[in-house]
Amino acid sequence: MASIIITSGEQKGEYLLLGKRINVIGRAEALPMQILDDMISRKHLRIRYDENTNQHLAEDMKSKHGVLINNHKITELTPLHEGDLIVIGQTSLMYTEKDFDNSESALEHYKRVGERQRPTMIQ
C-alpha cells in the first residue's frame, strides 16, 4: 500500500507501513513511529488514507517547528506522492507507495530513489 522511511539520523532505515488508517508520527512513546528528535513535537505529523481519492494525505498537527514536504511548509492537508521528502524537526522521511518486508529492503529502496534524484554534474 505505502510506507514512510526514515532517511536521516540514528533511526535511518526504520519504516512504517501506512495502510488505510490514520498514522501519527512524533516523539511520544505510544505512537506507531516514534522519532527521537528534540525538534519534533510529541504528535507532529498525521498521515491518513482518503478512500475517495485513493491517496495518503499529510497534516501538520500544530507542531512548533512545522512540516516540510519537498522543501515547502504545509499548512493544510497535503496529498503525498511517490518519493516525496518530508522533514520534521531535524529528521528526514520519504513517502513511497511500496511496502517492505524489513528495514534493509526499505533502506535499499531509498538509496535507489536517492540515486535517481541526485543531479548530474556536467564537466
Side-chain angles (χ1 to χ4, degrees), residues 1 18-23 48-49 51 54 56:
M1 159 113 301
L18 296 175
K20 294 184 178 183
R21 62 183 179 275
I22 295 173
N23 297 276
R48 70 175 178 86
Y49 181 74
E51 293 204 14
N54 198 32
H56 283 93

Side-chain angles (χ1 to χ4, degrees), residues 1-122:
M1 159 113 301
S3 303
I4 291 289
I5 305 169
I6 300 176
T7 61
S8 70
E10 289 185 29
Q11 292 173 260
K12 183 175 181 175
E14 289 184 27
Y15 67 100
L16 172 66
L17 298 174
L18 296 175
K20 294 184 178 183
R21 62 183 179 275
I22 295 173
N23 297 276
V24 177
I25 299 171
R27 213 176 63 242
E29 289 180 24
L31 298 178
M33 180 175 262
Q34 178 193 30
I35 300 177
L36 304 174
D37 177 336
D38 291 339
M39 301 284 289
I40 293 178
S41 300
R42 292 181 56 72
K43 292 182 179 177
H44 199 107
L45 169 66
R46 178 177 16 238
I47 299 175
R48 70 175 178 86
Y49 181 74
D50 183 336
E51 293 204 14
N52 295 324
T53 62
N54 198 32
Q55 285 186 294
H56 283 93
L57 305 170
E59 178 180 22
D60 183 356
M61 297 184 71
K62 299 184 170 108
S63 63
K64 182 176 181 181
H65 299 288
V67 174
L68 298 175
I69 298 179
N70 299 326
N71 293 319
H72 299 286
K73 187 171 184 173
I74 64 169
T75 56
E76 56 190 34
L77 276 175
T78 302
L80 292 171
H81 301 89
E82 177 65 35
D84 277 351
L85 298 177
I86 304 166
V87 176
I88 57 175
Q90 296 177 320
T91 302
S92 298
L93 314 168
M94 185 184 79
Y95 172 82
T96 179
E97 294 172 355
K98 299 182 181 296
D99 289 341
F100 302 98
D101 295 327
N102 54 49
S103 60
E104 291 80 23
S105 60
L107 195 53
E108 185 60 34
H109 174 74
Y110 164 66
K111 288 177 183 177
R112 282 193 308 270
V113 170
E115 287 296 319
R116 287 194 305 263
Q117 292 175 341
R118 189 177 304 149
T120 304
M121 294 183 66
I122 301 173

